[in-house]
Amino acid sequence: MTDPRTSRHNTAENQATSVPSASSAPAAPHAPSDPAGAPHAPAPGSAAAGTATAGSDPAARALAALRTARHRTGVLTDSVTDDDLVAQHSRLMSPLVWDLAHIGNQEELWLVREAGRRTGVRPDLDHLYDAFRHPRADRPALPLLGPAEARGYVAQVRDETLDVLSGVDIDPDHPERLLAGGFVFGMLAQHEAQHGETMLATHQLRSGPAVLDAPAPPPAPADAATLPREVLVPGGPFTMGTSTEPWALDNELPAHQVGVAPFWLDTVPVTNGRYADFIAAGGYRDPAWWTPEGWRHVQEAGLEAPLFWSRDGDRWIRRRFGHLEPVPADEPVLHVCWYEADAFARWAGRRLPTEAEWEKAARHDPETGRSRRYPWGDADPGPQHANLGQRHLQPAPAGSYPEGAAPSGARQLVGDVWEWTSSDFSPYPGFAAFPYREYSEVFFGPDYKVLRGGAFGVDPAACRGTFRNWDYPIRRQIFSGFRTARDADPDRDGTSGTPAGGGAA
Ligand code: AVJ
Ligand code: FE
């Protein structure tokens, strides 16, 4: 494993003063955006300059993010019986009790032992909760901590964590990269939040009556029905990735310029209704729409519709966290694999966006030339911007969250569903693994496709314009959807053309 105390590879750009907050944190000030040929230091007194509220204090934000993540862990693990906690609900997933103790083990490994330089709570458990030592399917057979032991263990580790936090300097310019800006606290809060999403996927795979509950998202705003089908993203270079976001993970670094040709992007994610059209048109039976590997997979796996869909007479129904319900036509499609997203796009005469296109659509502000932290600007996500944090247990209708729109007019780029891109998971130029190779580096290459934007199950602390997720192209138990794109015609479209075709997607 990489020595976590290796030097920082960044420059003064790293001296950002605030970090993304958890949903429970106070309204937060803004971190400087990444430069794109424009000065990136916020003007004094401007909205981006930040204010000295609790939200800008790295320790307060670390605490809030850790608490929010632990609250979700509690909901997801206390809502089932102990038998359910140790059971394996799918060979694709760990028993929930493994995720629980793994959360504690990573926290003691990186935060308490490595950054806090303490002996830790149960170093003897490292091997049991090392994801690389035991594939998910094998985990139920391990001599794991039982439910009560696992709960006690994570609580003990958390006590140590809070003790470390209260005694350590986490200034943004701290010489130790793990501590600077509270990175290691943010990293562990994000790790727990990521497992919160993984555990949510386990809940979705689990059979039996519903145990989780959340209010439905609000109905779509009035203008959702009249949105243009697609938006034009102008060509030219933009800043991809980040060198300023204090809690960005290694694969998001460093900021670099990328040229993107002008393209059209769906205003909203592809909906269940549109996806059902693809099914009804025989999309799963025509090899013309599929790559050779995709077609082989459709045949072998017998795919006919998104995961959790079934036929009820002439309509589609779905199982969602223990509830059987009609598939809502206006919601972004969920639980499709990359092969399905890619085939739909081809059938629609379009294609998936590249990862760079997605990020340009989500972050580039044509007026300033800067890349924003989020589609709506630099402010941390609020409930008006995006469907995140398991506030709702389903995507919001297509066209929701006008306040979360990107400069191009595209909506729901962040939140609701992870969006498959056409790109393989690759390092950015200048990538350096930190603090360990097994977070990103060992996954780089053609086996994994990148997903962007985050879903309703993701905590705001583990989601931003630069955040990169990845998975195998066959995976669909994750909260995955997509939107489609097409090249712009430089003669016809210029940089401010009118979309072809009308009506919302
Ligand atoms: C970024 C979601 C692909 O779950 O494999 C959790 C996150 N890494 N523990 C995963 C992660 C280590 C990772 N993904
Ligand atoms: Fe993990």
Side-chain angles (χ1 to χ4, degrees):
M1 241 179 226
T2 312
D3 177 1
R5 280 177 296 250
T6 47
S7 67
R8 308 166 63 159
H9 75 273
N10 284 316
T11 60
E13 261 198 306
N14 253 9
Q15 322 251 332
T17 51
S18 75
V19 290
S21 75
S23 52
S24 64
H30 307 193
S33 293
D34 287 297
H40 67 280
S46 78
T51 47
T53 65
S56 66
D57 169 11
R61 310 197 87 196
L63 201 55
L66 287 165
R67 279 202 184 124
T68 301
R70 186 54 50 89
H71 173 73
R72 275 330 291 174
T73 300
V75 168
L76 292 161
T77 53
D78 293 342
S79 53
V80 295
T81 64
D82 282 3
D83 284 348
D84 226 323
L85 213 51
V86 302
Q88 187 166 46
H89 299 282
S90 158
R91 285 185 56 81
L92 293 172
M93 311 305 284
S94 319
L96 291 168
V97 78
W98 185 91
D99 287 275
L100 179 59
H102 166 79
I103 286 165
N105 177 247
Q106 289 286 300
E107 190 170 314
E108 89 153 87
L109 196 59
W110 291 105
L111 202 159
V112 176
R113 281 152 53 189
E114 202 61 55
R117 297 201 169 88
R118 301 177 181 221
T119 48
V121 178
R122 289 287 304 272
D124 58 303
L125 295 177
D126 286 0
H127 73 99
L128 278 180
Y129 297 103
D130 179 345
F132 285 84
R133 220 174 274 242
H134 312 285
R136 285 180 176 176
D138 300 349
R139 290 174 192 168
L142 298 171
L144 302 176
L145 296 186
E149 292 170 298
R151 289 188 175 107
Y153 170 58
V154 299
Q156 248 187 299
V157 173
R158 182 52 57 92
D159 285 346
E160 295 266 335
T161 289
L162 298 181
D163 206 51
V164 172
L165 181 60
S166 67
V168 89
D169 161 22
I170 55 171
D171 281 351
D173 50 6
H174 194 286
E176 265 182 69
R177 190 169 158 198
L178 271 179
L179 292 174
F183 173 79
V184 76
F185 299 92
M187 179 179 99
L188 271 302
Q190 289 180 76
H191 180 256
E192 182 157 357
Q194 288 175 329
H195 279 272
E197 193 182 3
T198 303
M199 290 190 284
L200 189 68
T202 304
H203 272 262
Q204 169 62 10
L205 284 161
R206 161 184 180 277
S207 54
V211 296
L212 297 174
D213 204 18
D223 71 350
T226 55
L227 290 174
R229 186 219 155 131
E230 54 182 355
V231 297
L232 182 63
V233 180
F238 86 108
T239 303
M240 187 172 186
T242 178
S243 299
T244 56
E245 194 72 43
W247 290 359
L249 303 174
D250 62 1
N251 62 53
E252 298 166 68
L253 278 54
H256 58 291
Q257 295 289 111
V258 175
V260 173
F263 68 102
W264 293 96
L265 184 68
D266 288 344
T267 309
V268 297
V270 170
T271 62
N272 289 324
R274 291 271 292 141
Y275 199 82
D277 292 343
F278 168 64
I279 303 174
Y284 280 84
R285 298 191 301 271
D286 190 342
W289 312 128
W290 302 79
T291 61
E293 309 78 53
W295 183 244
R296 208 176 312 126
H297 180 64
V298 168
Q299 309 292 106
E300 280 171 15
L303 304 189
E304 296 183 325
L307 188 58
F308 307 115
W309 284 30
S310 58
R311 205 68 191 159
D312 175 35
D314 57 3
R315 62 178 190 165
W316 288 108
I317 56 170
R318 70 176 177 190
R319 190 166 53 79
R320 183 179 64 81
F321 299 111
H323 300 284
L324 275 179
E325 58 191 26
V327 169
D330 66 345
E331 225 177 68
V333 69
L334 188 60
H335 299 301
V336 289
C337 69
W338 186 89
Y339 292 130
E340 289 168 300
D342 172 70
F344 174 97
R346 201 167 289 110
W347 170 77
R350 300 169 67 86
R351 59 177 175 78
L352 294 178
T354 66
E355 184 182 14
E357 286 173 335
W358 190 97
E359 187 169 322
K360 183 168 188 185
R363 299 185 64 210
H364 180 66
D365 177 354
E367 272 188 16
T368 61
R370 290 168 58 193
S371 285
R372 302 171 162 192
R373 296 176 67 213
Y374 300 96
W376 53 87
D378 291 344
D380 289 339
Q384 75 280 25
H385 293 128
N387 180 8
L388 292 167
Q390 306 187 18
R391 274 198 331 275
H392 311 295
L393 292 175
Q394 66 196 90
S400 294
Y401 302 106
E403 288 182 65
S408 65
R411 293 190 186 176
Q412 293 169 295
L413 283 158
V414 163
D416 293 299
V417 297
W418 285 104
E419 299 184 16
W420 287 111
T421 72
S422 63
S423 302
D424 295 344
F425 186 44
S426 312
Y428 292 158
F431 169 84
F434 181 81
Y436 59 105
R437 288 189 63 242
E438 289 77 10
Y439 181 72
S440 311
E441 190 173 351
V442 299
F443 298 101
F444 289 142
D447 291 348
Y448 294 89
K449 298 294 184 190
V450 172
L451 301 110
R452 286 304 204 99
F456 61 87
V458 183
D459 189 83
C463 183
R464 51 197 159 261
T466 56
F467 191 93
R468 310 174 75 196
N469 193 4
W470 65 93
D471 217 324
Y472 289 121
I474 64 168
R475 285 290 183 251
R476 50 189 210 156
Q477 86 278 10
I478 56 175
F479 301 102
S480 49
F482 63 101
R483 71 180 79 207
T484 71
R486 68 182 173 101
D487 297 350
D489 175 343
D491 299 329
R492 264 191 69 228
D493 299 326
T495 52
S496 58
T498 310

